Amino acid sequence: MPANILLVEDEPAIQELIAFNLTQAGHHVMRADSAESAQNIVRNALPDLILLDWMLPGMTGIELAKKLRAEERTKTIPLIMLTARSDEQDKITGLDTGADDYITKPFSPRELQARIKAVLRRRAPQVTDDLVEVQGLKLDPTTHRVTGNGEHIDLGPTEFRLLHYFMTHPERVHSRAQLLDQVWGDHVFVEERTVDVHIRRLRSALEATNFDRLIQTVRGTGYRLSAQ
């Protein structure tokens, strides 16, 4: 599934090459050549993943990673460090800042794609194209189909994204604000009660196959998908 990737790289040739390969793979790429410009982009919209060069003009990639991990709004964004520094201590430093992976230059486009897919599968499974299943309820992001015990379930686009997020984050309680950020998108100005409307629509669509029972209301907190 296409991901919104922020590429922070100050070398024009390297930035162009990486961006080209990511675009060819179907991803949407936002570019920044400094930590400051990257921060401006993140203020407007959260990416699904950040590729961050260590050596940047002004604020280094390590310093930016620390800032991102220290802020509530950005601390969970998947982050891969890109660097020519291959010493073990440098890798430890990069990972200690909160990076999810560390790739040393030069690297092949195939290696980068594999690393990105692995990090997204681990940290942001809702933006991968992996089929997910919970007790006979199946959702396929590639074909955009949902079935319950083999029976087709018709969902609108928002309900599909909502169910996909729930199914890739089972047993966790999500507040309305969290669901708005993750399903509707960061900085989208929608009333929190809109979530309730789409939860009702989702439950209604799942009712015929008896899977509406999976979508649970947690009083005073939000919603969760639970098979228990």
Side-chain angles (χ1 to χ4, degrees), residues 50-154:
I50 297 176
L51 294 175
L52 180 58
D53 185 28
W54 181 311
M55 301 301 294
L56 294 170
M59 185 191 304
T60 68
I62 289 291
E63 291 171 319
L64 176 57
K66 289 179 179 178
K67 284 181 175 291
L68 292 171
R69 288 294 179 251
E71 294 182 17
E72 184 67 27
R73 182 171 165 269
T74 58
K75 69 180 183 180
T76 61
I77 300 175
L79 177 64
I80 298 178
M81 295 292 300
L82 306 177
T83 179
R85 306 172 70 138
S86 58
D87 291 345
E88 182 180 7
Q89 186 55 51
D90 290 331
K91 292 182 179 180
I92 292 172
T93 299
L95 294 172
D96 280 348
T97 63
D100 296 284
D101 203 351
Y102 184 107
I103 306 178
T104 55
K105 300 174 182 177
F107 49 81
S108 71
R110 289 182 65 186
E111 179 187 4
L112 180 59
Q113 289 293 342
R115 299 286 193 96
I116 288 173
K117 188 172 184 178
V119 169
L120 287 175
R121 183 179 289 116
R122 186 169 70 249
R123 290 290 303 277
Q126 73 275 12
V127 298
T128 69
D129 55 7
D130 296 339
L131 186 146
V132 285
E133 178 179 2
V134 177
Q135 289 196 339
L137 179 64
K138 296 182 181 180
L139 182 149
D140 188 341
T142 304
T143 61
H144 221 265
R145 289 177 179 168
V146 179
T147 58
N149 293 325
E151 184 177 339
H152 174 72
I153 298 172
D154 188 26

Side-chain angles (χ1 to χ4, degrees), residues 176 179-180 184 191-199 223:
R176 292 178 179 86
L179 290 172
L180 283 175
W184 277 258
E191 290 288 335
E192 288 192 3
R193 290 296 173 183
T194 300
V195 175
D196 299 336
V197 174
H198 288 279
I199 289 288
Y223 300 98

Side-chain angles (χ1 to χ4, degrees), residues 161-162 165-166 173-185 195-196 199 222-224:
R161 293 195 304 271
L162 189 58
Y165 184 72
F166 276 134
V173 179
H174 310 281
S175 69
R176 292 178 179 86
Q178 289 171 331
L179 290 172
L180 283 175
D181 280 350
Q182 296 296 331
V183 178
W184 277 258
V195 175
D196 299 336
I199 289 288
Y223 300 98
R224 72 177 166 220

Side-chain angles (χ1 to χ4, degrees), residues 1-9 12 14-33 41 45-52 82 112-113 116:
M1 183 176 289
N4 293 314
I5 297 177
L6 172 58
L7 171 60
V8 190
E9 168 63 65
I14 297 176
Q15 185 192 90
E16 184 63 34
L17 180 62
I18 294 174
F20 173 78
N21 283 293
L22 292 176
T23 302
Q24 288 293 102
H27 300 298
H28 172 66
V29 183
M30 299 172 283
R31 306 188 197 188
D33 57 10
I41 291 173
L46 293 181
D48 296 316
L49 179 140
I50 297 176
L51 294 175
L52 180 58
L82 306 177
L112 180 59
Q113 289 293 342
I116 288 173

